Amino acid sequence: MSTPTDTRTGTAVAVDGLTVRFSSNRGEVTALHDVDLHVGLGEFVSIVGPSGCGKSTLLKVVAGLTDPSGGSVELGGASVRGPQRNIGYVFQRAALLEWRTVRKNILLQAEMRGMDKRAAAAECDRLIEMTGLGGFENALPHELSGGMQQRVSLCRALLHRPEVLLMDEPFGALDALTRERMNVELHRIWRETGTTVLLVTHSVAEAVYLANRVVVMSPRPGKIIELLDVDLPAHREYATTMETPEFITVANRVRELLGAVAQAD
Ligand SMILES: Nc1ncnc2c1ncn2[C@@H]1O[C@H](COP(=O)(O)OP(=O)(O)OP(=O)(O)O)[C@@H](O)[C@H]1O
Ligand SMILES: [Mg+2]
């Protein structure tokens, strides 16, 4: 089956020789050391690694929220300098404004960017339908489940149709069943939109199920120790995918690498 993701070519994100150091009163920390990562347009890349290995830092550098100490980062062929506009960012917690309805939380993106109101409203409606939030447009965040809140956050991140979607442990706070459902939904949205995605996760199953490639990182200083291709069809049914030899092989290799990292830590 043809999807938007397999008809596009080119590089969405290019990270070369990236090093990030932080200095504080406790001294200097090298969060990332000599990291190279090229992500193709429409690709879905999962990033796994032990706590503190620099996963969030990597996303922040791509977003232009943290400056590199060395190396280069490009988004869509242009050097990243300062906060980037053509990205969407989903955080671990939904970070919704409690006093704004679902619709108004999503439209915050449009207000901040000065988007055309009508076009933004139409896109907002489309995303609400796509993520199954229909009927909850006027609900307040506290009236929603955790999974629904994360969907709102996802809609907000997608409203301006970003070329690249950065997700930092977006489903970490959800129960296992809701998380599975969100994985299936995110997979479908990715196939429908063709957005390039970088997903940080602590779940090996989530990482492999969703990705074209899995990046495994080592602890301080954070480095990429292995890049694994996930050779699974674009359309993936959740339960049956997990039983395929390809899924099991890749997931076991990721676990092996993470186990080796944990022992060496
Ligand atoms: N703004 C900062 N100032 C100082 N040190 C920082 C800063 N941000 C991150 N660090 C340090 O950089 C290292 C990497 O942090 P980062 O948040 O990227 O890790 P992570 O892989 O996302 O971890 P986790 O899985 O726990 O979220 C850590 O040692 C952290 O203490
Ligand atoms: Mg993090």
Side-chain angles (χ1 to χ4, degrees), residues 230-249:
V230 183
D231 193 12
L232 288 166
H235 181 75
R236 301 174 191 183
E237 203 269 319
Y238 195 78
T240 50
T241 297
M242 306 262 165
E243 288 162 5
T244 59
E246 173 70 6
F247 179 92
I248 293 167
T249 305

Side-chain angles (χ1 to χ4, degrees), residues 31-191:
L32 293 169
H33 180 73
D34 201 15
V35 169
D36 296 322
L37 179 65
H38 284 219
V39 180
L41 272 174
E43 210 186 347
F44 196 122
V45 170
S46 296
I47 303 166
V48 297
S51 182
C53 75
K55 303 179 295 296
S56 297
T57 303
L58 179 58
L59 291 197
K60 284 182 198 156
V61 173
V62 171
L65 302 173
T66 294
D67 290 333
S69 313
S72 69
V73 180
E74 289 184 357
L75 243 163
S79 186
V80 169
R81 298 201 199 290
Q84 297 297 295
R85 289 182 68 80
N86 200 13
I87 55 154
Y89 215 124
V90 182
F91 301 93
Q92 180 162 8
R93 299 266 166 197
L96 303 176
L97 298 179
E98 285 300 329
W99 60 93
R100 292 182 72 134
T101 62
V102 163
R103 210 154 194 287
K104 288 196 167 161
N105 262 291
I106 299 171
L107 287 170
L108 188 66
Q109 183 77 268
E111 290 167 28
M112 289 187 327
R113 289 167 184 274
M115 284 166 67
D116 176 73
K117 277 196 178 136
R118 249 196 215 185
E123 183 64 5
C124 180
D125 290 342
R126 198 182 68 84
L127 287 166
I128 283 174
E129 280 312 310
M130 191 196 233
T131 53
L133 286 168
F136 291 89
E137 292 86 346
N138 297 317
L140 289 167
H142 77 265
E143 297 172 297
L144 306 175
S145 69
M148 290 163 88
Q149 291 184 15
Q150 271 308 32
R151 274 183 244 179
V152 177
S153 169
L154 186 58
C155 290
R156 188 178 56 192
L158 288 171
L159 188 73
H160 55 299
R161 300 198 179 186
E163 195 63 70
V164 175
L165 179 63
L166 305 172
M167 307 182 84
D168 197 350
E169 298 185 53
F171 310 133
L174 305 180
D175 65 88
L177 200 60
T178 309
R179 188 171 191 156
E180 276 182 20
R181 291 202 183 117
M182 290 300 293
N183 280 183
V184 172
E185 200 143 300
L186 175 60
H187 180 64
R188 186 178 53 78
I189 290 169
W190 168 68
R191 292 201 305 127

